[in-house]
Amino acid sequence: QKEVEQNSGPLSVPEGAIASLNCTYSDRGSQSFFWYRQYSGKSPELIMSIYSNGDKEDGRFTAQLNKASQYVSLLIRDSQPSDSATYLCARGGYSSASKIIFGSGTRLSIRP
Amino acid sequence: DTEVTQTPKHLVMGMTNKKSLKCEQHMGHRAMYWYKQKAKKPPELMFVYSYEKLSINESVPSRFSPECPNSSLLNLHLHALQPEDSALYLCASSQEVIAEGGTQYFGPGTRLTVL
């Protein structure tokens, strides 16, 4: 079992709709979680970080964390073509031997 | 300001060359990282520096040699690389050290091609 799992996609969503990206993790010690957006050939860009159960909203983006279910999600409202990218879910380190672990990423395509 | 800078943006080198990648951050971050990323794969951790000391080496071949001259700079020295080392090399930094689960901010990367 991978430590952080994501559906590789591609996930195709019509412009203006809500895109829902999901991620599960296996290590219950994880305390911090991150969503990065990566355009082809570019470096990962931080979209959201979340540490507590519940929802965290920032503009069109909402991150959701459920530690009991070991589940993290990212919702993108009013999807735009510029949201087309690969989204990386990651869980942060929590000890000297535990480093950030990335999922394999979900490719999101917003169709006009 | 969460800027991490990297130079050069692109690098082409032969297998006998010696080159260096440079990374700089002026955010006072205490941890810096080197990642390697191949196409359609997530970033793969190579090295972690905490308080300018090497804290994690992910069993990286010795042809890659990291250096942290001061708290703002991180270098990656390259020597006798193989074509399979061609990749995007990413530098990142975080305020907290790795055990504190801090947010990592990535630089733009160096696209390395080994001929």
Side-chain angles (χ1 to χ4, degrees):
Chain A
Q1 181 186 13
K2 291 182 183 177
E3 288 203 51
V4 178
E5 297 215 45
Q6 296 181 255
N7 188 322
S8 62
L11 175 65
S12 181
V13 173
E15 184 175 356
I18 296 175
S20 178
L21 304 165
N22 304 315
C23 172
T24 58
Y25 62 94
S26 60
D27 190 337
R28 286 193 173 275
S30 305
Q31 299 297 319
S32 55
F33 302 87
F34 310 97
W35 283 100
Y36 288 87
R37 177 176 64 197
Q38 187 170 26
Y39 294 114
S40 181
K42 302 296 185 181
S43 66
E45 173 192 8
L46 181 71
I47 297 295
M48 296 282 282
S49 58
I50 187 166
Y51 300 85
S52 304
N53 277 330
D55 295 358
K56 179 181 178 182
E57 187 174 321
D58 184 0
R60 296 187 296 113
F61 299 95
T62 299
Q64 300 174 318
L65 174 60
N66 183 324
K67 291 185 179 180
S69 300
Q70 296 174 252
Y71 176 89
V72 192
S73 66
L74 180 70
L75 301 177
I76 307 175
R77 289 182 298 281
D78 188 23
S79 296
Q80 302 296 310
S82 60
D83 295 326
S84 298
T86 295
Y87 289 80
L88 297 164
C89 172
R91 71 123 177 95
Y94 60 89
S95 72
S96 59
S98 172
K99 58 189 182 291
I100 188 170
I101 299 292
F102 287 90
S104 55
T106 297
R107 282 187 297 134
L108 175 65
S109 176
I110 307 300
R111 56 182 191 271
Chain B
D1 184 12
T2 56
E3 187 178 29
V4 177
T5 60
Q6 289 187 244
T7 55
K9 290 185 179 179
H10 301 276
L11 178 62
V12 179
M13 60 186 291
M15 289 189 284
T16 58
N17 292 158
K18 285 186 181 181
K19 297 286 184 184
S20 297
L21 309 184
K22 296 185 184 302
C23 173
E24 192 166 1
Q25 59 87 12
H26 292 288
M27 297 175 281
H29 285 182
R30 297 179 289 169
M32 297 184 76
Y33 312 79
W34 279 116
Y35 287 87
K36 172 183 177 180
Q37 188 176 26
K38 299 283 251 183
K40 301 190 188 303
K41 297 288 187 183
E44 178 185 339
L45 185 65
M46 300 175 71
F47 303 103
V48 180
Y49 275 83
S50 297
Y51 297 105
E52 303 170 45
K53 288 186 167 38
L54 183 65
S55 62
I56 292 179
N57 176 340
E58 289 287 279
S59 302
V60 178
S62 60
R63 58 185 184 267
F64 296 91
S65 175
E67 178 195 21
C68 189
N70 60 54
S71 60
S72 300
L73 292 174
L74 187 65
N75 298 323
L76 185 63
H77 303 298
L78 314 173
H79 174 53
L81 294 194
Q82 303 297 310
E84 59 265 29
D85 296 321
S86 298
L88 181 66
Y89 286 83
L90 296 162
C91 175
S93 70
S94 64
Q95 173 60 32
E96 301 85 359
V97 296
I98 199 164
E100 297 167 356
T103 304
Q104 293 186 23
Y105 297 93
F106 285 87
T110 294
R111 174 72 59 187
L112 174 67
T113 302
V114 182
L115 301 176

